[in-house]
């Protein structure tokens, strides 16, 4: 068996074992950690499949911010799952087995793994993107060209989904408590550990710098606005967990976050309206620099990625503040 295939089989086996362990575990904190491990192994599989951008997103969202948000939610509830009677588990087990069987049967129609004659390799759109994007846009990372330029309207829709989802979560949480109303958390004493405080203070600028690198380097390698926004949020979440919510809110006030949530979306849509006002179509970046269309594409993509990063970072940070204000993360 080739080494590449062997590594994939091993990682797939780890995924299956982790999923089974999560279903059998009643300790919710342990399940959250195993879910983070599941995302990490999935990201490794994406790297092996040369989907580095997807792997980056899975690592940032699945391993990073999602795990922290899950821990924030668990601070509001019990640490162990209630025992479900066996008769109530049977319908769920039947649905899972049937769904898995259908998916397994459907996978027999898929092309061979890595086959050169698969539809994705032979479709003319793929060749067009790979070849023409270098001439039209001049960006080495074709994924960024597709998402931020060719499919810019679709990406705007995804940002609207993030914006709407954030507002929905915050609406379900209800009115946010003021810092002076937050109940202290007796079981959380991270601020008492000087080593953790020093390490966090040292890592914060590096995390934010790396987020900027991911944002501005998305044209040339894996990264972009979504990943950078999540990394930004992870830095502020880490700061809030260690130093307390009241101190974190002095660094990033909630009013500023609410403005930033809308600012990113307005910047993205406003860019499209600007190109229309210049006589082109929606999100036609060429008009930003008519004499040098490639430069116009670069400017437009950078503005779009920045807008995405602003909204994603603000939404994730505000959601954490919403959970933390009810869990008592305060010093």
């Amino acid at each position: 068996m080739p080494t590449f295939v062997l590594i994939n089989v091993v990682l797939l086996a780890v995924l299956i074992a982790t999923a089974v362990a999560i279903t059998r575990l009643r300790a919710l904190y342990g399940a959250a950690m195993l879910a983070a491990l599941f995302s990490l192994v999935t990201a490794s599989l994406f790297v092996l499949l040369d989907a580095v951008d997807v792997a980056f997103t899975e690592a940032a969202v699945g391993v990073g911010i999602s795990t922290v948000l899950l821990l924030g939610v668990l601070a509001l509830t019990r640490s162990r799952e209630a025992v479900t009677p066996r008769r109530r588990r049977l319908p769920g087990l039947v649905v899972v087995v049937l769904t898995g069987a259908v998916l397994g049967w459907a996978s027999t129609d898929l092309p061979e793994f890595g086959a050169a004659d698969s539809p994705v390799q032979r479709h003319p759109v793929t060749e067009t993107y790979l070849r023409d994007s270098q001439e039209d846009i001049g960006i080495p990372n074709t994924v960024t060209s597709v998402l931020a330029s060719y499919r810019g309207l679709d990406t705007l829709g995804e940002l609207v989904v993030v914006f709407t989802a954030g507002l929905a979560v915050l609406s379900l949480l209800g009115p946010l408590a003021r810092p002076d109303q937050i109940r202290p958390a007796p079981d959380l004493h991270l601020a008492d550990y000087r080593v953790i405080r020093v390490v966090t203070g040292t890592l914060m600028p590096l995390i934010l710098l790396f987020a900027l690198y991911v944002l501005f380097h998305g044209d040339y390698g894996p990264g972009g606005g979504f990943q950078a926004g999540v990394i930004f949020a992870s830095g502020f979440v880490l700061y809030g967990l260690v130093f307390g919510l009241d101190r974190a809110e002095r660094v990033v006030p909630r009013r500023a976050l609410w403005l930033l949530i809308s600012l990113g979306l307005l910047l993205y849509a406003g860019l499209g309206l600007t190109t229309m006002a210049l006589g082109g179509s929606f999100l036609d970046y060429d008009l930003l620099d008519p004499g040098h269309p490639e430069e116009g594409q670069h400017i437009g993509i950078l503005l779009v990625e920045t807008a995405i990063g602003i909204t994603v970072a603000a939404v994730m940070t505000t959601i954490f503040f919403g959970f933390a204000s009810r869990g008592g993360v305060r010093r």
Side-chain angles (χ1 to χ4, degrees):
M1 181 182 295
T3 304
F4 176 79
V5 177
L6 179 61
I7 294 175
N8 278 276
V9 171
V10 171
L11 291 179
L12 182 59
V14 173
L15 283 180
I16 295 174
T18 305
V20 172
I22 291 174
T23 61
R24 297 183 60 84
L25 199 61
R26 292 292 174 262
L28 298 180
Y29 284 101
M33 293 298 99
L34 286 178
L37 173 63
F38 188 93
S39 294
L40 181 61
V41 176
T42 303
S44 302
L45 278 172
F46 286 146
V47 171
L48 291 175
L49 296 174
D50 291 331
V52 184
D53 279 271
V54 182
F56 207 146
T57 305
E58 179 66 33
V61 177
V63 183
I65 195 69
S66 295
T67 303
V68 174
L69 290 179
L70 283 175
L71 294 178
V73 172
L74 291 178
L76 308 178
T77 183
R78 295 175 299 181
S79 61
R80 295 189 65 84
E81 181 184 0
V83 179
T84 305
R86 289 184 177 274
R87 63 179 181 275
R88 295 185 182 180
R89 301 180 196 173
L90 184 58
L93 177 62
V94 172
V95 171
V96 169
V97 171
L98 291 178
T99 303
V102 171
L103 291 176
W105 172 72
S107 66
T108 57
D109 288 336
L110 293 174
E112 292 293 329
F113 182 76
D117 59 346
S118 63
V120 70
Q121 302 291 348
R122 294 185 288 107
H123 200 285
V125 173
T126 302
E127 184 179 352
T128 300
Y129 280 149
L130 293 175
R131 183 184 66 251
D132 294 351
S133 67
Q134 303 302 316
E135 301 175 1
D136 297 340
I137 301 176
I139 290 179
N141 189 356
T142 306
V143 175
T144 300
S145 301
V146 172
L147 295 180
S149 183
Y150 292 128
R151 292 181 56 238
L153 188 59
D154 293 343
T155 305
L156 175 59
E158 295 175 5
L159 189 61
V160 172
V161 170
V162 173
F163 174 81
T164 306
L167 293 184
V169 172
L170 294 172
S171 299
L172 291 173
L173 289 174
L176 299 182
R178 297 193 306 270
D180 58 348
Q181 296 175 328
I182 300 173
R183 294 175 289 102
D187 296 327
L188 193 58
H189 302 287
L190 292 179
D192 298 334
Y193 293 92
R194 185 170 299 177
V195 173
I196 294 179
R197 292 169 64 93
V198 172
V199 171
T200 301
T202 304
L203 287 178
M204 268 298 295
L206 299 178
I207 293 173
L208 300 182
L209 182 62
F210 181 64
L212 290 174
Y213 172 83
V214 170
L215 175 62
F216 294 115
H217 197 260
D219 297 353
Y220 303 95
F226 285 104
Q227 297 92 330
V230 172
I231 296 173
F232 265 116
S234 299
F236 293 126
V237 168
L238 176 63
Y239 189 88
L241 285 174
V242 174
F243 293 98
L245 186 60
D246 50 353
R247 189 167 172 180
E249 287 191 338
R250 289 198 293 268
V251 178
V252 279
R254 293 190 189 182
R255 286 188 177 181
L257 288 174
W258 279 101
L259 291 175
L260 291 174
I261 289 175
S262 303
L263 177 62
L265 184 59
L266 292 175
L267 177 61
Y268 199 143
L271 178 62
L273 296 177
T274 300
T275 58
M276 293 180 66
L278 293 174
S281 57
F282 192 74
L283 296 176
D284 185 2
Y285 307 144
D286 292 349
L287 296 177
L288 298 177
D289 192 347
H292 304 85
E294 285 190 7
E295 292 299 323
Q297 289 285 336
H298 293 180
I299 295 172
I301 290 176
L302 179 59
L303 290 175
V304 162
E305 297 289 357
T306 303
I308 294 171
I310 290 173
T311 293
V312 171
V315 166
M316 294 296 182
T317 306
T318 306
I319 289 175
F320 168 74
F321 282 179
F323 283 121
S325 64
R326 286 152 181 80
V329 184
R330 182 173 182 253
R331 302 287 170 255

